[in-house]
Amino acid sequence: MKLTLHIWRQQKRSTAADFKQDGRMVRYELDGVSPDMSFLEMLDVLNEQLIKKGEEPVVFDHDCREGICGSCSLMIDGEPHGPQSGTTTCQLHMRSFRDGAEIWIEPWRAKAFPVVKDLMVDRSAFDRVVQAGAFISVNTGAPQDANAIPVPKADADRAFDAATCIGCGACVAACKNASAMLFVGAKVSHFMHLPQGRVERETRARNLVAAMDKEGFGNCTNQNECEAACPKEIPVRVIAEMNREFLRAKAVEEPPSGKRVGGDG
């Protein structure tokens, strides 16, 4: 395969105020690409050629290359992770493109994800959101047998659907408001359906939403681009569950007087 690549090259780290600064699209011609290569392997071949020419290779993020870590965050032809639905960039193969195609490759475009260099972005905002409460901190006792706590299958399925989130940020990149509500909703939904997670349900919902707002992510306007772009196909149902959990948490929140208001719901 012969390809024409248009790749965003940026030397200087961007800021939240200007996340498109000091960068430009650079054109590369690449020949001899196997249809069986993954998209990242194709970029490896390009970088090998650039290094042989004495040019600086293209910087992009990757780790497991198994569709698990979520680090292969690339906007390909205007779509997060490329044209194939339910697929991460590392598992996208070049047979998804025609011979002679022109491919446009950019980093995520969100103020909360500043560009570090070229195609690599800083997604540590997600880490800080998780640190705000996407975990179980209470002592649940010694490990129990798998069947010791009955969990209805419907609840287990919903929890598992949410737990598949890999935190890649495609939902943010696809949203016109750079909203992280699908990501945060997945963290809330993961725990709300399991008995171990319900102990901290009020503080979790409040803390995660507060952290999301603090990082500068936008709001959801119900266009469902996030669901379409998610490589793990997490449903937008988790956003509704997050909103419900947050409203519930605010209803039972203790006022400054210390007197609890609302019911247990």
Side-chain angles (χ1 to χ4, degrees):
M1 296 176 65
K2 184 175 182 179
L3 302 171
T4 299
L5 306 176
H6 301 270
I7 301 178
W8 181 262
R9 302 303 304 266
Q10 180 171 322
Q11 293 294 320
K12 184 179 178 182
R13 182 186 175 95
S14 63
T15 64
D18 185 2
F19 58 94
K20 294 183 179 180
Q21 67 180 15
D22 299 328
R24 62 190 180 92
M25 300 299 293
V26 178
R27 178 187 175 111
Y28 298 98
E29 300 290 340
L30 189 61
D31 201 354
V33 176
S34 169
D36 296 325
M37 286 183 179
S38 73
F39 200 87
L40 297 188
E41 288 173 335
M42 179 273 293
L43 291 179
D44 289 338
V45 171
L46 172 65
N47 279 343
E48 289 174 0
Q49 294 185 8
L50 292 177
I51 291 172
K52 288 179 180 179
K53 295 177 182 178
E55 300 179 24
E56 190 171 356
V58 177
V59 174
F60 61 93
D61 212 352
H62 64 94
D63 190 6
C64 72
R65 298 201 178 194
E66 295 178 351
I68 299 172
C69 70
S71 62
C72 54
S73 49
L74 295 182
M75 186 72 76
I76 303 169
D77 287 341
E79 298 182 75
H81 293 299
Q84 189 170 331
S85 63
T87 306
T88 54
T89 300
C90 62
Q91 295 195 310
L92 176 69
H93 289 86
M94 298 314 298
R95 54 180 170 266
S96 299
F97 303 89
R98 61 176 177 80
D99 186 19
E102 289 195 51
I103 305 175
W104 299 76
I105 311 169
E106 299 177 80
W108 288 166
R109 298 297 192 186
K111 291 183 179 180
F113 293 157
V115 175
V116 177
K117 188 175 182 180
D118 294 341
L119 303 175
M120 179 183 287
V121 300
D122 182 355
R123 293 178 297 122
S124 59
F126 270 6
D127 296 331
R128 291 187 289 273
V129 171
V130 170
Q131 291 166 6
F135 51 84
I136 297 173
S137 62
V138 296
N139 184 4
T140 58
Q144 298 171 316
D145 292 335
N147 297 326
I149 303 177
V151 179
K153 186 178 185 305
D155 286 347
D157 288 345
R158 292 189 186 101
F160 185 80
D161 287 344
T164 58
C165 173
I166 57 176
C168 67
C171 52
V172 176
C175 178
K176 66 179 183 180
N177 302 322
S179 172
M181 293 185 74
L182 190 75
F183 168 76
V184 177
K187 301 307 173 186
V188 172
S189 180
H190 176 194
F191 293 108
M192 69 168 283
H193 291 293
L194 299 176
Q196 298 90 338
R198 290 170 187 157
V199 180
E200 301 172 282
R201 61 188 303 185
E202 287 93 0
T203 55
R204 178 180 298 112
R206 287 197 299 266
N207 292 345
L208 289 182
V209 171
M212 174 180 66
D213 292 342
K214 182 180 178 181
E215 293 296 335
F217 292 105
N219 293 319
C220 175
T221 48
N222 299 313
Q223 307 226 337
N224 295 358
E225 288 290 337
C226 54
E227 182 183 70
C230 178
K232 298 304 175 181
E233 300 179 321
I234 294 174
V236 292
R237 164 181 55 80
V238 301
I239 298 178
E241 291 177 342
M242 179 194 70
N243 288 335
R244 185 173 70 244
E245 286 294 287
F246 179 73
L247 291 174
R248 179 188 182 278
K250 297 299 288 184
V252 300
E253 187 176 15
E254 293 187 1
S257 63
K259 185 178 179 180
R260 190 178 177 90
V261 296
D264 291 333

